[in-house]
Amino acid sequence: MYDDLTKMAEPYKIKMVEPLKITTREERIKLIKEAGYNLFLLKSDDVYIDLLTDSGTSAMSDYQWAGIMLGDESYAGSRNYLHLCEVIKDIFGYNYVVPTHQGRGAEKVLFPLLIKKGQYILGNMHFDTTKAHIELAEGIAVDMVIKEAEDTENYHPFKGNFDLEALENFIKDKKPENIAFILATVTCNSAGGQPVSMENIKEVRRIADKYGLKLFFDAARFAENAYFIKQREKGYENKSIKEIVREMFSYGDGFTMSAKKDALVNIGGLIAIKDDEELFTKVKTMLIPMEGFVTYGGLAGRDMEAMARGLEEVLDENYLAWRINQVKYLGDKLRDAGIPIQYPAGGHAVFIDGKKFLPHVPQEQFPSHAICVELYIEAGIRAVEVGALLAGRDPVIKKEILPKLDFVRLTIPRRVYTNSHMDVIAEAVKRVYARRDKIKGYRFTYEPPILRHFTAKLEPVE
Ligand code: P61
């Protein structure tokens, strides 16, 4: 199937290993019960394959580790900050940059500067911390992803796209002065790690210009999005990833980024602004009390160096091809076995459709969560629920929010696991699927008032 055999395996070799602890099924049954059936409350040492997140879990390269040793830990004017600025300018074409401790630090600093009380922030689908920071700044987050994203079964190349008609109608209806800005999340995490096409980004820019609005990116997985454009969008097949990234970001006014994903580092974030010097001045002013002085923003010099190097490395097409194809490899195995997933697989994760997997478990009893518990028992795999348990309750009427998309996210860390691990994951999901009729839902024994999924305790519904 591979014409070129150099594309068949990982485009890197392993220089250092981290042993995995192996537990028995009996031990796992006991451990998950002791954790109140909440996978966030397990010790990571008791997890065999950790698919909780791709955030901050990447393996750094030798080149990045070498950069760690070149950290300039000066409080002001660190050379690593200057290097980071150069790299951002070179890749994205943006003039102004500050680091933050992670993605939500960037959101916390930038959003209050852009949002007036009661204004709308229009996104394809906002990520949960993003929505939280919009709401903390007294804005209203609105999702406008295309309808196809909700249809998990059928293929669409860009399920992260904005519904352009809905976007324009909303702006006309609510009036441009009541819109703070438009935010494009690339790739769209909440819809299943799905990309946004260049054409869609361009059209969003056109609409933004028509109504005098700003367009920002939530850029955590920018390189994976660019790779999908190269693979799936006409006219981009012969462009380099760097050229595609440059074009994508030419349509924006700035971005926030959790560097814990595509910048291939374990901690860090960014705010970058194309050319609005006045906004940058405001960002710098707020950054100092919240994150730290402009040239470190909550990071050590060595972290900024690793990030600058990671941002360059992630553009390597051999890396991206392997990365995206590893996720696809897992997705294909599941789909071939008849397991319902968001199709096609995302850039950073395979999302299992929990409602279709366990149709007999009511959504109020968290079917996707029940599957996560079984995957842990089956093979020590820790997946994460992105569904009703995460969604929580309506803040006013306290009723359970039942999201249309209720997923088990099998999130693949970058450069960490091999395809042998993917085989284990696929086999575990198949075995759980084979005994799905016997799987029960869950109810709370303790339900925290906010962000309940992190600390809740549950029990199976008998
Ligand atoms: C994740 F369980 N994502 O997907 P920070 N934007 C986008 C993200 O995906 C994102 C952030 C901003 C995580 C980590 C995570 O309840 C949870 O660097 C598109 O994490 O602050 C983070 O970036 C925020 C997992 C976050 C969670 C919150 O796994």
Side-chain angles (χ1 to χ4, degrees):
M1 133 191 205
Y2 289 90
D3 292 339
D4 179 352
L5 288 178
T6 64
K7 302 279 187 275
M8 196 171 151
E10 287 82 351
Y12 45 83
K13 56 185 175 178
I14 296 164
K15 184 158 3 208
M16 191 193 280
V17 296
E18 182 181 346
L20 296 171
K21 196 182 135 189
I22 314 281
T23 51
T24 64
R25 189 183 191 96
E26 287 65 41
E27 284 168 335
R28 292 193 294 273
I29 288 172
K30 189 163 160 276
L31 287 163
I32 192 68
K33 190 170 181 200
E34 282 167 7
Y37 294 99
N38 183 341
L39 292 110
F40 281 98
L41 302 181
L42 288 171
K43 288 196 209 117
S44 62
D45 276 348
D46 292 330
V47 174
Y48 176 49
I49 301 177
D50 205 345
L51 308 181
L52 195 64
T53 180
D54 64 324
S55 183
T57 53
S58 300
M60 293 207 295
S61 67
D62 53 357
Y63 180 63
Q64 286 178 290
W65 279 108
I68 290 268
M69 298 309 290
L70 299 175
D72 167 8
E73 306 308 340
S74 307
Y75 194 94
S78 165
R79 80 174 90 85
N80 309 117
Y81 169 73
L82 299 175
H83 181 206
L84 183 61
C85 293
E86 265 171 43
V87 168
I88 303 274
K89 172 92 192 170
D90 178 49
I91 297 174
F92 301 94
Y94 287 6
N95 287 321
Y96 303 117
V97 183
V98 289
T100 60
H101 80 281
Q102 58 184 73
R104 67 199 74 180
E107 294 163 355
K108 180 184 69 176
V109 171
L110 183 66
F111 290 178
L113 300 172
L114 299 173
I115 301 172
K116 290 199 205 87
K117 188 176 173 168
Q119 278 186 325
Y120 296 95
I121 295 78
L122 312 181
N124 41 353
M125 217 167 159
H126 297 290
F127 185 66
D128 60 358
T129 61
T130 316
K131 183 163 180 282
H133 277 293
I134 287 171
E135 288 169 1
L136 283 170
E138 300 190 277
I140 304 163
V142 185
D143 291 341
M144 314 210 127
V145 79
I146 53 170
K147 292 275 168 295
E148 286 85 341
E150 284 165 18
D151 171 13
T152 57
E153 207 165 312
N154 290 306
Y155 182 89
H156 185 287
F158 293 103
K159 283 189 177 177
N161 278 355
F162 280 81
D163 180 336
L164 297 166
E165 206 184 307
L167 178 70
E168 186 157 8
N169 287 341
F170 192 95
I171 298 168
K172 278 199 235 161
D173 182 40
K174 301 286 180 190
K175 306 280 176 285
E177 59 272 25
N178 295 315
I179 315 291
F181 60 97
I182 302 173
L183 185 68
T185 302
V186 291
T187 57
C188 188
N189 189 0
S190 311
Q194 300 293 316
V196 184
S197 73
M198 192 72 87
E199 196 198 344
N200 195 253
I201 295 171
K202 229 190 270 185
E203 279 301 299
V204 172
R205 174 79 261 175
R206 193 186 56 75
I207 294 170
D209 283 343
K210 186 166 165 191
Y211 297 97
L213 298 173
K214 282 191 188 297
L215 168 62
F216 284 82
F217 286 96
D218 179 344
R221 300 176 180 87
F222 73 97
E224 291 172 2
N225 200 94
Y227 185 79
F228 282 122
I229 289 177
K230 179 162 174 133
Q231 292 302 303
R232 297 180 185 170
E233 195 162 348
K234 224 170 146 253
Y236 292 91
E237 47 285 80
N238 296 319
K239 294 217 190 282
S240 71
I241 296 296
K242 195 168 164 182
E243 284 168 330
I244 295 172
V245 169
R246 185 56 98 96
E247 184 182 339
M248 280 166 65
F249 284 85
S250 73
Y251 301 121
D253 295 292
F255 66 73
T256 56
M257 186 193 291
S258 167
K260 299 170 73 173
K261 286 86 172 173
D262 269 353
L264 300 171
V265 285
N266 304 120
I267 195 70
L270 288 168
I271 301 172
I273 292 164
K274 189 197 267 167
D275 51 22
D276 184 343
E277 197 180 347
E278 199 183 317
L279 177 61
F280 185 58
T281 303
K282 290 185 196 157
V283 164
K284 285 191 289 188
T285 309
M286 291 317 290
L287 190 84
I288 297 169
M290 292 204 204
E291 294 283 292
F293 184 63
V294 180
T295 64
Y296 77 88
L299 295 177
R302 56 179 173 268
D303 298 330
M304 293 188 283
E305 189 57 34
M307 195 198 291
R309 291 174 181 221
L311 285 167
E312 286 178 332
E313 264 178 26
V314 79
L315 303 177
D316 173 13
E317 211 166 296
N318 288 322
Y319 157 75
L320 279 172
W322 178 259
R323 160 72 178 159
I324 300 294
N325 282 324
Q326 184 174 50
V327 178
K328 180 176 181 296
Y329 174 81
L330 176 61
D332 286 348
K333 283 199 164 223
L334 299 185
R335 205 170 140 85
D336 290 348
I339 291 154
I341 62 166
Q342 173 65 297
Y343 181 69
H348 67 299
V350 176
F351 289 67
I352 297 172
D353 186 328
K355 288 196 283 192
K356 288 198 180 130
F357 192 112
L358 290 185
H360 61 283
V361 174
Q363 202 180 358
E364 297 84 339
Q365 293 178 12
F366 315 125
S368 300
H369 179 73
I371 299 165
C372 293
V373 172
E374 294 307 319
L375 282 173
Y376 179 69
I377 293 172
E378 191 65 47
I381 293 164
R382 174 158 67 174
V384 67
E385 193 254 19
V386 185
L389 179 58
L390 177 87
R393 290 176 188 274
D394 181 287
V396 183
I397 57 170
K398 305 288 172 206
K399 215 170 145 261
E400 287 281 349
I401 298 167
L402 298 176
K404 284 201 183 109
L405 296 171
D406 202 295
F407 288 131
V408 175
R409 188 178 74 172
L410 304 168
T411 336
I412 311 301
R414 294 173 184 77
R415 303 192 291 207
V416 171
Y417 295 114
T418 66
N419 278 8
S420 307
H421 293 108
M422 299 304 121
D423 292 341
V424 174
I425 299 161
E427 187 56 32
V429 177
K430 283 191 234 172
R431 290 188 192 183
V432 170
Y433 193 59
R435 58 180 172 78
R436 62 188 178 282
D437 294 346
K438 298 197 188 69
I439 298 172
K440 301 188 171 93
Y442 281 80
R443 66 171 160 238
F444 290 109
T445 56
Y446 162 63
E447 183 185 356
I450 50 162
L451 293 174
R452 63 185 189 180
H453 60 292
F454 288 120
T455 53
K457 304 248 168 145
L458 302 108
E459 65 183 8
V461 178
E462 288 309 327

